[in-house]
Amino acid sequence: DGGITQSPKYLFRKEGQNVTLSCEQNLNHDAMYWYRQDPGQGLRLIYYSQIVNDFQKGDIAEGYSVSREKKESFPLTVTSAQKNPTAFYLCASSIDSGSNQPQHFGDGTRLSIL
Amino acid sequence: GENVEQHPSTLSVQEGDSAVIKCTYSDSASNYFPWYKQELGKRPQLIIDIRSNVGEKKDQRIAVTLNKTAKHFSLHITETQPEDSAVYFCAASKGDSSYKLIFGSGTRLLVRP
């Protein structure tokens, strides 16, 4: 899935700081997703976007924010309100949101607290 | 909402043996069931998926079966190889306007040489 690029690979956050994780795709996919993965657990959905300029909260949206100004980009901001941000963050995309198309993932960003 | 349970959490098999991982889902409206393989520190990779209009799908050494009545689906890996060692996740989706995937908690598969 070389068409989905996440950066940075590793990120450290200081107390009270907001940090932004980048996700870019060149697959011309309409739908994009952000997941959080904690050790020994499955993936939990933070936010998703079915189309440009539209996004919806997932199951664990508190303390996070997103934007979808361009089709290819879906950045995730981890705000200071997220008290336990240490996790592996995965971005995914699918061709559209109209027919259960497979989701393909980026390489992830590992976020830690300083 | 939808809940997906996955068993076992760890599975150790001898090279060449078969491995079976099972998932159950709670929402009978779910109609799409992908399986992902994740190697340590890497991205989940889709290995096979099945839609509710079929009961079984095969791709070489991998197969998935779906029992809609019992609301469970299983991943079968035959002739396991050491490179099959990874964490496997099942997921379910209702195919409604959100197309959200709900993931199981994962199975760590170890194939012993």
Side-chain angles (χ1 to χ4, degrees), chain A residues 11-19 78-80 85 111-114:
Chain A
L11 186 58
F12 297 91
R13 195 191 87 170
K14 294 180 181 179
E15 194 76 31
Q17 184 183 41
N18 293 353
V19 292
V78 183
T79 74
S80 58
L111 175 62
S112 302
I113 296 295
L114 276 179

Side-chain angles (χ1 to χ4, degrees), chain A residues 1 29 98 102 112:
Chain A
D1 296 289
H29 284 177
S112 302

Side-chain angles (χ1 to χ4, degrees), chain A residues 28-90:
Chain A
N28 201 33
H29 284 177
D30 282 328
M32 297 186 75
Y33 312 81
W34 274 106
Y35 292 91
R36 170 179 172 142
Q37 186 175 30
D38 293 284
Q41 296 188 33
L43 284 68
R44 292 183 290 167
L45 183 65
I46 305 171
Y47 268 98
Y48 63 99
S49 169
Q50 295 172 281
I51 198 168
V52 175
N53 293 322
D54 181 68
F55 50 83
Q56 305 293 330
K57 291 182 178 180
D59 300 317
I60 55 166
E62 186 174 352
Y64 300 98
S65 65
V66 294
S67 63
R68 186 84 188 277
E69 298 176 1
K70 298 186 294 183
K71 186 176 186 178
E72 59 269 24
S73 179
F74 190 41
L76 173 74
T77 297
V78 183
T79 74
S80 58
Q82 173 49 246
K83 298 306 180 187
N84 183 24
T86 297
F88 190 46
Y89 291 87
L90 286 159

Side-chain angles (χ1 to χ4, degrees), chain B residues 41-77:
Chain B
K42 297 191 176 180
R43 69 176 80 186
Q45 298 227 343
L46 179 70
I47 56 172
I48 196 167
D49 57 8
I50 192 168
R51 289 173 172 78
S52 59
N53 57 343
V54 299
E56 184 176 4
K57 184 177 179 180
K58 288 184 179 180
D59 183 3
Q60 298 181 11
R61 295 187 296 109
I62 293 172
V64 56
T65 58
L66 172 64
N67 184 326
K68 288 178 60 180
T69 303
K71 291 190 284 186
H72 66 70
F73 56 111
S74 299
L75 177 71
H76 303 254
I77 307 174

